[in-house]
Structures are given as C-alpha cells and as structure tokens.
Amino acid sequence: MLNDEEGNIVTDNKAMADILQRQFLSVFSDPDCADIASPSELFFPITFPFEKSLQFEESDVIETINKIPSNAAAGPDGIPAAFLKAHARELSWPIKLIWSESIKK
C-alpha cells in the first residue's frame, strides 16, 4: 500500500510499481549517462613517496581515534564512533597492524 502524489491510497500492484519507479528515477542517476565523469577524471592519482618510511605507533592511533567527534556517524564498516572511542586502547594495536601491513603492499 502506497500513497500517490495526491495522497490517495494505492493498492494496485502496477500503480504501486509506477509510483516507486518515479521515486527511484527522481533520486538515482543513469549509469549509462554520457555526462557522468569517470572516477579517473575526478581524482588525481595517489602516490605514496613515503611508502617504506611511514611509521606510526599505537599512541598515534589512540590520539586519532580520540579526535573523532563522539556523535560522528559510523563509517562504511558500521562501527560507531562511540565504540571506537570507548575501546581505543584495545583497538590501537590491531588497527596499527592493519594499516602498517596495508602500507607495505
């Protein structure tokens, strides 16, 4: 059951599908659209001249986590800022290890 543009209740499957299609078309872009810039046009190449020399400690991870606002939204991993801040000390070593290994690659 959906409401149409005038607020009327719609229960017909086709009519509901049409309403949803109009909504999705209004908020999503067409991936085949020619005027959408490719990611390579939007961003410059990332280079790491310090790859082998970049070093940081667990205290750097803790300090960085503590700079996150407590009310910050969770990132793509879904981990809330409050959790990171509450467990910064316990998470600092695994995070340091993951980042150190990823920099080496």
Side-chain angles (χ1 to χ4, degrees):
M1 178 169 63
L2 293 173
N3 292 341
D4 64 13
E5 291 83 11
E6 290 82 37
N8 301 316
I9 295 175
V10 177
T11 57
D12 175 69
N13 288 339
K14 177 158 180 6
M16 289 191 299
D18 290 341
I19 291 170
L20 292 173
Q21 181 181 22
R22 283 192 299 276
Q23 171 61 27
F24 289 128
L25 287 173
S26 73
V27 296
F28 291 105
S29 62
D30 179 1
D32 296 325
C33 183
D35 62 341
I36 295 177
S38 72
S40 61
E41 295 171 9
L42 298 174
F43 302 104
F44 55 88
I46 299 174
T47 58
F48 295 100
F50 47 78
E51 286 179 13
K52 304 298 179 195
S53 63
L54 181 63
Q55 295 181 355
F56 53 93
E57 301 301 322
E58 291 172 50
S59 60
D60 298 316
V61 175
I62 294 168
E63 182 181 333
T64 303
I65 289 173
N66 286 331
K67 289 181 182 178
I68 300 171
S70 296
N71 62 348
D77 55 14
I79 301 172
F83 178 86
L84 290 172
K85 292 174 80 73
H87 303 285
R89 189 164 307 286
E90 295 85 356
L91 293 169
S92 63
W93 184 81
I95 292 173
K96 176 192 177 291
L97 181 64
I98 291 167
W99 274 91
S100 296
E101 289 300 313
S102 68
I103 290 170
K104 290 179 188 177
K105 308 260 180 227

